[in-house]
Amino acid sequence: MAERPFIVGNWKMNGTRAMLPEARAIDRAAQRQMKVEVALAPPFTLIHAVHREVEQIGVGAQDCHPAKDGAYTGDISAAMIADAGAKFVILGHSERREGHGEDDALVAAKIEAALGAGLRIVLCCGESLETRDSGRAEEFVLGQLRHAFAKVVDAGERLTIAYEPIWAIGTGRSAGLEDIAAMHGAIRRLVKDSFGTQAAAQVRILYGGSVKPENAREILALADVDGALVGGASLSAESFLGIVHAAIDDDAA
Ligand code: PEP
């Protein structure tokens, strides 16, 4: 576990202003402890509102367009989300890769745009069940990351990686502890080979995929797991804070 674990909530396409009290409750709890970095990625429409409501937690976006501006109806640039108050952006989420046909080249272009706009990135990677069953999960995930790393200029604290096996997202079935540990170890080695020892110590590697208060503690206790990217369980302050507290407890243990 990193010195300061990072717990990020991904609200996906959920939330209206009626969700702001949840963000406030998460923020109040985060203010009472400094051991864990806590952040939320609400939908675009709530970034500014959440940013105005909170003092301690980070606010980020779930995607951005690779271009600075222009004729891209319905899209949002990295500079726009930064202007709305976002400090980071989630890129390469499997729901973008699968549902919107995003390939490694597009994810790399978005990384360049986001870093250029001064944002931190939470870069997602992860294999399908078919790939895992074929025994090629590690090769696949490291391949995704190699593409992305070509556009990462300053790895350090601006880069967070989220390993999210696709079959574990939103299914209630998290990956096995041994598989998580093995993949995180392989990712850490790749970060070291690509960016050096210091970056390997600074870059946080999160696990995502059906993390909930009941399983967070054992997942967060794994050596190369530095936090969690949380979907469903981030939609209520109670369950999200259960995961934050699991990170604090583990740190104290
Ligand atoms: C996610 O989509 O990033 C995710 C991890 O979702 P869930 O926690 O719901 O599996």
Side-chain angles (χ1 to χ4, degrees):
M1 174 95 84
E3 213 172 291
R4 194 157 182 243
F6 193 19
I7 307 291
V8 183
N10 173 14
W11 280 5
K12 311 192 185 193
M13 198 174 74
N14 295 293
T16 60
R17 283 177 296 159
M19 283 279 285
L20 292 176
E22 298 299 313
R24 271 199 301 273
I26 291 166
D27 187 60
R28 273 198 306 274
Q31 285 178 38
R32 291 194 290 271
Q33 62 78 34
M34 291 296 152
K35 284 187 164 183
V36 181
E37 185 178 349
V38 181
L40 286 177
F44 288 132
T45 48
L46 284 180
I47 291 173
H48 189 56
V50 172
H51 168 68
R52 281 176 28 165
E53 292 285 333
V54 301
E55 288 175 24
Q56 176 65 31
I57 64 171
V59 182
Q62 302 168 19
D63 183 39
C64 69
H65 193 275
K68 277 203 172 99
D69 49 35
Y72 302 102
T73 302
D75 283 314
I76 312 237
S77 73
M80 288 170 175
I81 57 179
D83 183 56
K87 294 285 181 284
F88 70 93
V89 58
I90 297 170
L91 293 175
H93 193 285
S94 61
E95 287 158 10
R96 301 291 316 172
R97 293 181 192 259
E98 292 202 323
H100 298 263
E102 292 194 8
D103 61 11
D104 287 335
L106 181 55
V107 173
K110 290 183 176 196
I111 291 171
E112 197 170 21
L115 293 176
L119 294 168
R120 291 160 60 193
I121 56 171
V122 176
L123 169 64
C124 299
C125 57
E127 80 287 356
S128 66
L129 192 55
E130 198 187 356
T131 303
R132 170 143 300 268
D133 287 345
S134 73
R136 293 175 35 250
E138 193 174 306
E139 177 195 330
F140 180 84
V141 167
L142 298 187
Q144 284 183 322
L145 292 176
R146 278 192 194 95
H147 273 279
F149 285 179
K151 296 294 181 195
V152 175
V153 272
D154 174 15
E157 287 168 354
R158 295 185 69 194
L159 172 66
T160 296
I161 295 167
Y163 168 56
E164 301 203 303
I166 297 170
W167 44 275
I169 295 178
T171 58
R173 173 189 167 197
S174 71
L177 296 179
E178 275 184 25
D179 291 338
I180 298 173
M183 187 64 83
H184 279 238
I187 293 172
R188 182 86 64 202
R189 286 191 291 281
L190 181 68
V191 174
K192 187 175 171 197
D193 291 347
S194 307
F195 302 112
T197 311
Q198 197 184 340
Q202 282 179 331
V203 170
R204 285 176 293 188
I205 307 172
L206 315 184
Y207 169 76
S210 296
V211 178
K212 33 193 184 232
E214 299 76 33
N215 64 10
R217 197 182 166 85
E218 58 183 6
I219 293 172
L220 293 169
L222 295 169
D224 281 305
V225 176
D226 302 319
L229 180 56
V230 184
S234 70
L235 293 173
S236 95
E238 191 186 355
S239 56
F240 190 56
L241 291 172
I243 296 168
V244 172
H245 289 132
I248 297 171
D249 289 346
D250 179 71
D251 202 40

